[in-house]
Amino acid sequence: MLAGLGLTPAFTDHPGTKGDATESRWIEVLREFLPNRYGVGPIFAIDSNGGQSDQIDIAVFDQQYSPLFFEQNGISFVPAESVYAVCEVKPNMNKPHLDYARGKIASVRKLNRTSAAIRHAGGTYEPQDPAGKPILGVFLSTEIDWSDIRGSAAVAAITDLDPTAIDMGIAVRGGAFDRTGGLAFAPAGQELIWFATRLFRALSKLGTALAIDLDSYCAPLEGHEPTVAHRDDGACDPRTP
């Protein structure tokens, strides 16, 4: 995993690679580590009301059941209902960079998320409450500007502004934290695998992405209020009242 990030492991005989893990390298490593049901890459998140997030460095999103509306210059436009996690990449972990990441995360969390019923062999699952499907906020970096991630200054910066909190973060050469079950820190020397395992555990606990109410997305495109039905072939079939 360190090699995938372009960082030579400290226990090899090769000279240490000085540099930062780039967005593209983080994407490659997360794609290899996470199951194929998760899409990983840069996105804009959008909602049925026409809202759009800031450009997100890396998002983890559903690619098994959810549509990607289109892609432009390598950036996907993904419905907010499909987003599991929002990741901001910076070279260093420090308070200004954490605060900047909180703004990016908040731009996705504030979007409207719909939920539709799901048919199954025995009947129908009712729509879920989007509030029960939180979007994870994640910070990815190589270095850390504090001498100790467990110190009071670092902890204060990590836990600041809970309404737009960062749930997990890593500085590969300085430490990693996880707030999803109370603040915890990675053992020294095991930061990357500890962080990756914790991220996968947090994603697994979220279950499957929300079933999107596609009626709400179709109606504005057709100039109608969202009183619509679906054809048998799955296409939107707007029907005016």
Side-chain angles (χ1 to χ4, degrees):
M1 293 178 75
L2 286 169
L5 290 174
L7 307 173
T8 303
F11 52 79
T12 70
D13 295 328
H14 300 287
T17 300
K18 189 66 177 176
D20 299 315
T22 62
E23 293 173 22
S24 61
R25 288 188 177 275
W26 276 111
I27 290 170
E28 291 173 7
V29 167
L30 291 175
R31 281 178 177 168
E32 289 191 9
F33 180 77
L34 295 175
N36 290 334
R37 63 177 288 220
Y38 297 109
V40 179
I43 71 161
F44 285 101
I46 59 177
D47 68 17
S48 59
N49 295 333
Q52 179 176 299
S53 72
D54 296 340
Q55 182 174 332
I56 303 305
D57 288 345
I58 304 173
V60 180
F61 53 89
D62 176 63
Q63 65 177 7
Q64 187 168 359
Y65 300 109
S66 305
L68 302 182
F69 287 134
F70 58 93
E71 185 177 79
Q72 184 177 12
N73 298 325
I75 300 175
S76 298
F77 286 74
V78 177
E81 294 90 339
S82 306
V83 178
Y84 289 110
V86 176
C87 309
E88 178 66 19
V89 179
K90 292 292 184 186
N92 292 54
M93 182 187 293
N94 56 38
K95 189 177 188 306
H97 285 166
L98 289 170
D99 289 343
Y100 181 81
R102 288 185 181 95
K104 289 292 193 79
I105 296 163
S107 77
V108 178
R109 287 178 173 164
K110 73 181 182 181
L111 295 175
N112 180 58
R113 292 189 293 161
T114 67
S115 181
I118 303 174
R119 289 186 182 180
H120 60 91
T124 302
Y125 292 122
E126 293 300 315
Q128 301 180 69
D129 181 2
K133 294 278 189 179
I135 295 172
L136 296 172
V138 180
F139 184 86
L140 306 172
S141 64
T142 306
E143 308 288 348
I144 189 168
D145 285 359
W146 296 290
S147 59
D148 183 3
I149 195 172
R150 295 171 176 80
S152 59
V155 170
I158 289 167
T159 58
D160 193 21
L161 300 173
D162 275 351
T164 52
I166 299 174
D167 298 292
M168 307 181 69
I170 181 171
V172 179
R173 294 193 178 107
F177 66 88
D178 176 7
R179 299 182 62 202
T180 58
L183 183 60
F185 296 98
Q190 300 179 32
E191 290 84 1
L192 187 53
I193 188 61
W194 182 91
F195 171 82
T197 305
R198 290 270 182 147
L199 175 61
F200 181 50
R201 183 179 71 174
L203 291 170
S204 298
K205 288 182 177 181
L206 293 177
T208 304
L210 293 166
I212 299 171
D213 180 6
L214 288 174
D215 291 353
S216 64
Y217 282 89
C218 290
L221 298 175
E222 301 293 339
H224 299 300
E225 294 298 320
T227 303
V228 303
H230 290 283
R231 300 199 315 237
D232 290 339
D233 63 2
C236 292
D237 179 20
R239 299 173 185 175
T240 54

